[in-house]
Amino acid sequence: MNILVTGSSGWLGQHLVPRLKHGGHHVIGLDPVPGQHTDIVGSVADRPTVRAAIRDNSVQGIVHGGALHKPHVATHDSSQFISVNVQGTLNLLEEATAPGSPVDRFVFTSTTSLMISRQIRDAHKRGVNRAFWIDEEMTPLEPRNIYGVSKLSAEHLCRMVHDASRLPVIVLRTARFFPEEDDMAHEIIQSDANTKANEFLFRRLTAEDAARAHIVALDRAPQLGFDTFIVSALTPFSPEDSEQLMEYAPLVVHRYFPRYREIYARRGWTMFDHIDRVYDSTKAMRRLGFVCSTDFGDILNQLDREDGVVAPASRVPWAS
């Protein structure tokens, strides 16, 4: 299959493009930044570039991972988010469904960030006494910044175009898989690797799993038509844990993973005192047929195999 991957120079693209090529696909990478996996240097906001990329390469599948992301909120104005994340998505969708277009499937990389309102973000400060259980049925969606607003708007465009054209479209709301430290790191006392390990309990996945999810979505799109999925490592928690997760999370974690304290103690690591949200990815398992290959139990096993030797974060594959 001829597949157009936008954002091919980015973190997802670096992991996705080689896997698609290994699977026998012909991949055309589009990104405004030159890179090893980028064939066309340009922006999705430029309609002629998008049109040429699709038509000149007889593109059959599109993975739209290119976007301005949350860190760009500090460096780009709102109009740039609308241009790239909203207009850029519309450009791709409309060119994909133009007369004579060979495109027969579309995968959109969205984000769980658009599900986090100001109320959820500040839950602990506001005295909320239970963690939010977040799945695809959660409403209303009230993104707290222009990044979330632009991605939610792009999701609406995906549904609108699907409804009008029947183009199969899969929306993947990915949890955190970026290598950078969390932008709220100043509020967290754990090291970067410690923080990321903790997050596999409720809001993280590896870049490798993010890439695999997109490949599965490409394959399943014609059968599913349209759907939206949260993609995150399966959580061990249940909604019944929500109150205690907000009260004192280490007790809940210890109940599921009795050895975690011993493994963490060897590194001087700690668990978050409070977990204010949990992403439930069981719909992706049930309907998309996708489960992340790495979860918190796997992280503990990896750490345990190091026999108590503290490894730099750069040597920890799931933390970079």
Side-chain angles (χ1 to χ4, degrees):
M1 188 190 311
N2 296 333
I3 300 173
L4 175 65
V5 175
T6 71
S8 51
S9 295
W11 188 238
L12 175 62
Q14 293 172 41
H15 289 81
L16 175 59
V17 172
R19 283 167 173 75
L20 287 171
K21 289 181 177 180
H22 184 73
H25 300 291
H26 174 63
V27 182
I28 304 94
L30 170 63
D31 198 293
V33 178
Q36 179 184 356
H37 305 297
T38 294
D39 305 284
I40 303 170
V41 177
S43 172
V44 294
D46 182 65
R47 185 69 167 260
T49 297
V50 170
R51 181 181 301 121
I54 293 173
R55 294 186 180 182
D56 294 353
N57 296 283
S58 300
V59 167
Q60 299 157 286
I62 296 176
V63 176
H64 179 29
L68 290 180
H69 297 284
K70 187 179 175 185
H72 294 120
V73 172
T75 58
H76 293 65
D77 61 35
S78 295
S79 63
Q80 291 172 291
F81 275 86
I82 298 303
S83 176
V84 175
N85 293 2
V86 183
Q87 184 62 54
T89 302
L90 182 61
N91 289 344
L92 284 159
L93 288 165
E94 290 189 337
E95 290 300 330
T97 55
S101 168
V103 177
D104 65 5
R105 64 197 70 191
F106 191 104
V107 177
F108 175 59
T109 310
S110 191
T111 172
T112 52
S113 181
L114 64 80
M115 308 178 78
I116 306 304
S117 64
R118 182 70 59 186
Q119 179 187 14
I120 296 175
R121 176 65 185 81
D122 298 335
H124 189 252
K125 296 177 183 177
R126 293 170 182 258
V128 176
N129 63 4
R130 59 187 300 114
F132 289 87
W133 192 262
I134 299 176
D135 61 19
E136 294 84 353
E137 302 303 314
M138 189 187 80
T139 56
L141 297 180
E142 299 174 336
R144 67 191 187 281
N145 56 36
I146 188 62
Y147 170 57
V149 168
S150 67
K151 295 297 272 189
L152 181 57
S153 297
E155 284 193 11
H156 289 321
L157 292 174
C158 287
R159 173 165 304 267
M160 180 190 76
V161 171
H162 165 77
D163 288 345
S165 68
R166 312 317 296 175
L167 173 70
V169 180
I170 301 298
V171 175
L172 299 181
R173 290 179 181 166
T174 58
R176 301 179 181 195
F177 63 91
F178 47 78
E180 301 87 0
E181 288 191 28
D182 182 75
D183 61 354
M184 301 303 292
H186 64 280
E187 297 184 4
I188 300 172
I189 62 172
Q190 286 84 2
S191 68
D192 183 43
N194 186 176
T195 295
K196 288 174 179 175
N198 292 355
E199 288 179 340
F200 273 91
L201 286 161
F202 63 103
R203 63 176 181 189
R204 181 167 284 276
L205 70 159
T206 65
E208 290 80 6
D209 278 333
R212 285 200 312 110
H214 284 74
I215 294 171
V216 172
L218 269 175
D219 180 60
R220 294 278 290 143
Q223 290 76 44
L224 295 178
F226 181 91
D227 215 335
T228 301
F229 300 97
I230 290 173
V231 182
S232 186
L234 279 176
T235 180
F237 306 136
S238 71
E240 289 71 31
D241 295 318
S242 296
E243 236 178 89
Q244 196 170 21
L245 283 171
M246 189 63 93
E247 182 181 354
Y248 191 60
L251 288 178
V252 187
V253 179
H254 183 261
R255 187 162 69 244
Y256 287 99
F257 301 97
R259 292 193 62 236
Y260 104 84
R261 286 176 172 165
E262 172 193 339
I263 296 169
Y264 268 37
R266 293 200 301 253
R267 290 156 178 78
W269 285 10
T270 57
M271 181 52 60
F272 299 145
D273 286 343
H274 315 284
I275 291 177
D276 60 3
R277 75 199 78 163
V278 177
Y279 296 135
D280 181 352
S281 59
T282 54
K283 180 183 174 185
M285 176 176 63
R286 184 179 69 251
R287 182 161 163 77
L288 185 61
F290 175 79
V291 180
C292 287
S293 60
T294 301
D295 60 20
F296 185 71
D298 296 311
I299 300 302
L300 291 181
N301 288 338
Q302 290 177 31
L303 296 173
D304 209 17
R305 284 195 295 269
E306 293 177 4
D307 294 326
V309 177
V310 180
S314 60
R315 286 178 50 204
V316 184
W318 40 266
S320 60

